[in-house]
Amino acid sequence: ADVTDCAFRQIICEYGKPDVFYTEFVSADGLAHPVAREKLLIDLKYGEEEHPIVAQIFGSKVENIRKAAELCRELGFDGIDINMGCPDKSIEKQHSGAAMMKDINLAREVIRAAMEGSGGLPVSVKTRIGYNKNEIETWIPELLKENIAALTVHLRTRKEMSNVPAHWGVMKRIVEIRDEMKKETLIIGNG
């Protein structure tokens, strides 16, 4: 948020384009609302040279996630990413971001709704290793059951925020979990 806007991505394109771009995260509730959508569309603005580009959304209302995914598809995005790791209190009050780790059933419903709305676009998730403690043995398999295209794991808990070094040592186990489940999900470490 407040970093990867269109202007920033345009500069990055000039100096070393990455394999994929992600937008700032945008509220699915706002995108599903006809008035709020008009104000939020600026956050989903992109240039053609930014492809492939993934729209990152957040929310906990299943129908709004579906609608936001449909909109992202219509806008020409190459994929949809669901933020299930943001520790911001205002996001968590909406049962979104890192709060998703407290309700795996809702998290899985949100993923399914995004897949339905995406019309076949890849759907990915960004999350953390756990809420108050390392929960990769329970949290990661539940996400992988949904056959998401990619899983980006911020290698800290929500409680740790970004106040401690990332736990890069757990990446191997996350990949092992994926392999044990015989999934093809791309695993990305973030820290």
Side-chain angles (χ1 to χ4, degrees):
D2 298 326
V3 177
T4 58
D5 62 13
C6 186
F8 175 83
R9 294 190 309 266
Q10 295 289 314
I11 293 168
I12 297 300
C13 275
E14 290 182 33
Y15 294 100
K17 185 178 175 194
D19 293 330
V20 63
F21 275 116
Y22 288 78
T23 67
E24 299 177 86
F25 75 145
V26 182
S27 167
D29 293 347
L31 292 173
H33 188 278
V35 175
R37 177 184 311 130
E38 295 309 313
K39 292 182 180 181
L40 291 175
L41 283 176
I42 189 72
D43 295 331
L44 294 178
K45 182 180 177 183
Y46 66 88
E48 287 304 311
E49 65 279 5
E50 294 174 53
H51 284 285
I53 185 164
V54 176
Q56 188 179 88
I57 59 175
F58 71 92
S60 61
K61 295 181 178 126
V62 173
E63 186 56 32
N64 288 347
I65 290 285
R66 184 179 296 105
K67 288 177 182 176
E70 288 171 1
L71 176 63
C72 291
R73 182 192 71 227
E74 291 166 8
L75 291 172
F77 282 96
D78 300 298
I80 297 162
D81 188 62
I82 307 164
N83 187 306
M84 295 187 180
C86 178
D88 186 90
K89 289 180 184 178
S90 67
I91 303 301
E92 286 197 82
K93 283 181 184 176
Q94 301 170 54
H95 306 288
S96 302
M100 280 283 167
M101 290 184 269
K102 295 179 174 182
D103 189 343
I104 187 58
N105 293 325
L106 178 59
R108 291 180 69 184
E109 286 181 46
V110 162
I111 293 168
R112 290 178 197 143
M115 288 179 170
E116 289 170 18
S118 75
L121 290 177
V123 173
S124 59
V125 170
K126 180 177 183 190
T127 191
R128 290 175 175 260
I129 62 172
Y131 197 83
N132 290 317
K133 62 184 188 321
N134 181 334
E135 300 170 281
I136 63 170
E137 297 294 334
T138 53
W139 174 236
I140 299 299
E142 292 297 326
L143 297 173
L144 293 175
K145 285 178 186 176
E146 296 304 318
N147 296 315
I148 52 180
L151 177 64
T152 302
V153 184
H154 182 129
L155 297 164
R156 296 178 182 94
T157 66
R158 185 265 177 234
K159 182 179 180 181
E160 292 170 329
M161 306 287 277
S162 292
N163 297 326
V164 302
H167 302 287
W168 286 100
V170 302
M171 263 320 276
K172 181 180 179 191
R173 181 61 190 137
I174 293 169
V175 171
E176 287 172 353
I177 291 169
R178 186 235 10 225
D179 293 347
E180 290 166 6
M181 294 179 70
K182 297 182 177 17
K183 298 294 182 180
E184 296 183 14
T185 302
L186 176 66
I187 305 292
I188 303 167
N190 176 270

